Amino acid sequence: MTLKACKKEEKMDRGFQKKFKFEGSINVLTQMMVDPAATEKKGGAKNLPLRRGEILDVIQFTNQEQILCRNGQRKYGYVPRAVMLPL
């Protein structure tokens, strides 16, 4: 990984921590897959866009309805638990 890419990732991570008021280091708890039968959705202000079959890194289990996740493009957001499947 180049220095430029590393700094870009650090900047994205700091932006995530500020936007979601996330304290501490960012650790991936597990990976989950978006249900292939789910409808694709565009992301909102704090919601992650959903694509069928996409594998997401779970950062935090926030409540009974949503999970804080990161996708392959290192974008962060909330995802409904109802559309997530364990790997």
Side-chain angles (χ1 to χ4, degrees), residues 6-71:
C6 188
K7 285 189 177 196
K8 184 178 178 181
E9 283 186 8
E10 286 178 14
K11 184 177 179 182
M12 290 176 78
D13 289 347
R14 282 193 307 271
F16 155 73
Q17 288 175 323
K18 184 177 179 183
K19 183 176 181 179
F20 290 92
K21 296 178 178 79
F22 190 83
E23 301 281 326
S25 62
I26 301 168
N27 297 322
V28 176
L29 302 176
T30 186
Q31 289 187 323
M32 296 180 87
M33 182 175 74
V34 176
D35 189 353
T39 58
E40 293 189 7
K41 296 180 182 178
K42 292 184 180 179
K46 290 190 174 183
N47 294 328
L48 199 59
L50 297 179
R51 290 187 302 187
R52 292 182 214 153
E54 183 178 27
I55 305 231
L56 301 175
D57 295 331
V58 175
I59 305 300
Q60 184 180 39
F61 292 99
T62 54
N63 59 36
Q64 295 296 326
E65 288 87 36
Q66 17 185 30
I67 304 171
L68 185 58
C69 295
R70 174 176 68 193
N71 65 12

Side-chain angles (χ1 to χ4, degrees), residues 71-84:
N71 65 12
Q73 292 83 35
R74 292 193 69 85
K75 293 186 181 179
Y76 296 87
Y78 293 112
V79 177
R81 278 188 184 229
V83 298
M84 298 299 288

